[in-house]
Amino acid sequence: MVQEGQVYVVTGGSGFLGAHLVRMLVERSPNISEIRVFDLHVDESLATLSNERVKIHLIRGDISSFSDVRSALRGSHLVIHTASLVDVWGRVPASKVTEVNVTGTENVLRACEEEGIQYLVYTSSMEVVGPNLHGDPFYRGNEDTEYTVFHNQPYPLSKSRAESLILEANGRKTKDGKTLYTCALRPTGIYGEGHQLMKQFYQQGLRMGRRVFRAIAPSTEHGRVYVGNVAWMHVLAALRLQDQPSKLGGQVYFCYDNSPYKSYEDFNMEFLSSCGFRMVGSRPLVPYVLLYLFALLNAFLQWLLRPLCTYAPILNPYTLSVASTTFTVQTDKAKRHFGYQPLYKWDECKRRTVSWVQTLEESGKER
């Protein structure tokens, strides 16, 4: 039986996923009386979600500061740890990525142990697994599918280390003798309202005359997942982790829905086409070997210019490998363990995302 009047902490609660998750918790978790939104930059608009049943408290703090984390977690019942620095372009130093993603996770675990918090749900990433730099496809795989994991970039390395810390902590005793239970969710590529990378693709397409030049073979497939369904899976996992800690504790779950398997370019066009964007080319306009040479050149320029400025284009060897490698998941583990089914069907996910993209169009016209 899940205790009533609970206090949840959402780290990174003002981020893309975090903000959607806070709204989902308010709407669909009647056992909560307080949600603490912990973030370095808080979204003041989230405070308006407070109502008679549940109060939203915004807490500005640094995930890499143990004192900040412990203060935010004190007296809470469950933590959903979404705070993460996502950077696959080299926009921030590798040390900062590690500090946020690994040290921040260590701080959350230590605070749980010190404060006697028993339940922790972690937002991991599919990039813990892949695509790997060898370009090996992962076709409709699940959590038990064998796959050679090979990374050399700070982001996937840091998320892999953080996930391991979370799972290793399951069953650990807190200072007051309670047991800590943890689980991790691995979303595939998240999309939806407020997705900043989609906004970048939109702006880039505008500069190119509303044209998207095909760079990746349309036969390449990726698993994408709507942000509302990711938030919903977190809500369900948080509830069931308390009901059946021995089943969910120490487990990892791929997080996906029924969004169509397509290349990143073709998937993005599902939304951008609503604003008059068109794809140029039925096959890649530039041979892969030339794209790879461009990616290497960008990596070299990034290294060369680092003392002077931050040069971080979207295309680099890692992002090219991810975009050009099929990586799709198909698993029923989350359904079997805690009854997950997508809350939003594909038509609704598309409609909501298209509506948001069209607001970018309207704001552009106003300027």
Side-chain angles (χ1 to χ4, degrees), residues 347-362:
D347 287 348
E348 178 69 6
C349 300
K350 182 176 179 178
R351 185 193 67 77
R352 287 170 172 246
T353 306
V354 165
S355 295
W356 171 71
V357 171
Q358 289 175 341
T359 65
L360 301 178
E361 184 85 353
E362 293 302 317

Side-chain angles (χ1 to χ4, degrees), residues 67-131:
S67 60
D68 283 2
V69 174
R70 184 174 185 179
S71 178
L73 268 58
R74 184 172 295 123
S76 63
H77 298 87
L78 182 144
V79 180
I80 303 181
H81 178 31
T82 77
S84 182
L85 184 52
V86 181
D87 179 53
V88 295
W89 307 280
R91 295 171 181 170
V92 297
S95 59
K96 184 63 177 178
V97 175
T98 302
E99 180 183 37
V100 171
N101 295 349
V102 179
T103 304
T105 298
E106 291 172 336
N107 287 339
V108 170
L109 286 169
R110 181 180 165 198
C112 286
E113 293 177 44
E114 295 284 343
E115 297 297 328
I117 300 166
Q118 288 191 268
Y119 307 105
L120 172 58
V121 177
Y122 175 60
T123 308
S124 187
S125 169
M126 73 169 190
E127 291 185 51
V128 166
V129 179

